[in-house]
């Protein structure tokens, strides 16, 4: 059995990047405040502060694939974001299929009373938590 580790997950978007923290021991994850982005570029100092605070061993980036499994244009940008994370932070980056996480996040947010104003009140961090929990379950073989 491998040593427990922590993960930061990112749900890439051009104006907002969802963030979640998880750990392999319990397989649990929690949402963190999303990062504002300008054309997909976050404030890299804030990203560094997240890494300093949470000390992840791995960074997980959601890959928005098309329903047929092919990569979308935004998927290519998410992959580039992951490459930038690795280049700037030196941590390993993996990608997770996040095809239905945004839909599930919107459903969950509605259950919490979200009014549907996703531009002003994004659900990206909920989506990041959802695909991170799925990834942790697969990692642990549950």
């Amino acid at each position: 059995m491998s040593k427990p580790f922590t993960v930061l997950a990112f749900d890439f978007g051009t104006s907002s990047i969802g963030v979640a923290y998880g750990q392999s021991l319990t397989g649990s994850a929690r949402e963190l405040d999303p990062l504002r982005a300008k054309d997909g570029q976050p404030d890299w100092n804030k990203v560094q502060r997240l890494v300093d605070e949470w000390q992840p061993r791995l960074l997980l980036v959601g890959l928005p694939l098309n329903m047929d499994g092919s990569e979308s244009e935004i998927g290519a940008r998410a992959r580039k974001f992951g490459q930038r994370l690795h280049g700037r932070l030196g941590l390993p980056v993996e990608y997770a299929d996040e095809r239905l996480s945004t839909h599930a996040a919107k459903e969950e947010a509605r259950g919490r009373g979200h009014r549907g104003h996703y531009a002003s009140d994004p659900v990206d961090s909920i989506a990041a938590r959802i695909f991170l929990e799925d990834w942790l379950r697969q990692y642990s073989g549950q």
Side-chain angles (χ1 to χ4, degrees):
M1 186 169 183
S2 66
K3 186 176 165 198
F5 61 92
T6 56
V7 181
L8 272 180
F10 297 90
D11 182 34
F12 176 80
T14 56
S15 61
S16 178
I17 298 170
V19 184
Y21 164 81
Q23 47 100 9
S24 65
L25 186 63
T26 63
S28 63
R30 74 180 191 124
E31 301 145 31
L32 301 176
D33 290 336
L35 297 166
R36 291 280 158 225
K38 191 173 211 160
D39 195 30
Q41 292 293 315
D43 176 339
W44 289 104
N45 291 324
K46 287 184 179 180
V47 175
Q48 183 64 58
R49 284 195 294 274
L50 282 170
V51 168
D52 291 345
E53 179 179 354
W54 295 101
Q55 298 290 305
R57 195 173 91 193
L58 174 76
L59 304 175
L60 187 67
V61 175
L63 203 53
L65 301 172
N66 292 317
M67 290 312 288
D68 67 1
S70 63
E71 196 161 300
S72 64
E73 181 186 333
I74 194 77
R77 292 190 69 185
R79 196 176 287 282
K80 189 173 206 171
F81 172 72
Q83 291 165 348
R84 284 189 178 121
L85 283 171
H86 176 70
R88 287 176 175 266
L89 303 168
L91 291 168
V93 173
E94 288 195 24
Y95 298 90
D97 181 350
E98 59 114 329
R99 269 181 273 198
L100 297 174
S101 65
T102 299
H103 177 74
K106 287 179 178 179
E107 237 177 64
E108 185 177 315
R110 278 192 298 276
R112 296 182 191 178
H114 195 285
R115 302 258 185 242
H117 305 291
Y118 300 113
S120 61
D121 189 11
V123 296
D124 308 309
S125 289
I126 298 172
R129 190 206 79 233
I130 289 169
F131 72 72
L132 175 53
E133 287 172 341
D134 288 346
W135 186 89
L136 287 166
R137 268 193 298 280
Q138 288 174 352
Y139 177 84
S140 68
Q142 294 179 2

